[in-house]
Amino acid sequence: MAKREYPEIQKEFGEHLQKLRKSKGISLRLLASRCDLDDSNISKIENGHFNVQLSTILELAKGLDVPKKELLDY
């Protein structure tokens, strides 16, 4: 099965993630450590250059201390 790209959705999700992170005063590095991810990967997500897996979305919600729905409601 061919890998699908959804650049517009990835960009929108990344922008929303960045707004949530900044509104909580959390740095890329701190969020990365809370989610056990590399901060460069979080940067790629926020810039829409990374297709996020569901498990990563769940970790990001935990790291931001927000309900999963809030992270996906943009």
Side-chain angles (χ1 to χ4, degrees), residues 8-42:
E8 195 59 37
I9 293 171
Q10 290 171 205
K11 183 178 180 196
E12 290 172 3
F13 177 81
E15 289 171 351
H16 180 65
L17 172 64
Q18 186 178 59
K19 285 178 190 175
L20 281 173
R21 179 180 61 77
K22 287 184 175 184
S23 74
K24 293 190 161 275
I26 299 172
S27 70
L28 277 171
R29 185 165 284 156
L30 178 57
L31 181 58
S33 71
R34 289 181 178 181
C35 300
D36 196 28
L37 296 170
D38 190 80
D39 55 339
S40 66
N41 286 339
I42 302 236

Side-chain angles (χ1 to χ4, degrees), residues 29-64:
R29 185 165 284 156
L30 178 57
L31 181 58
S33 71
R34 289 181 178 181
C35 300
D36 196 28
L37 296 170
D38 190 80
D39 55 339
S40 66
N41 286 339
I42 302 236
S43 178
K44 289 175 188 174
I45 293 168
E46 289 186 350
N47 289 306
H49 301 297
F50 196 80
N51 193 4
V52 184
Q53 294 182 355
L54 183 57
S55 59
T56 303
I57 291 172
L58 296 174
E59 288 300 316
L60 290 168
K62 287 180 190 175
L64 290 168

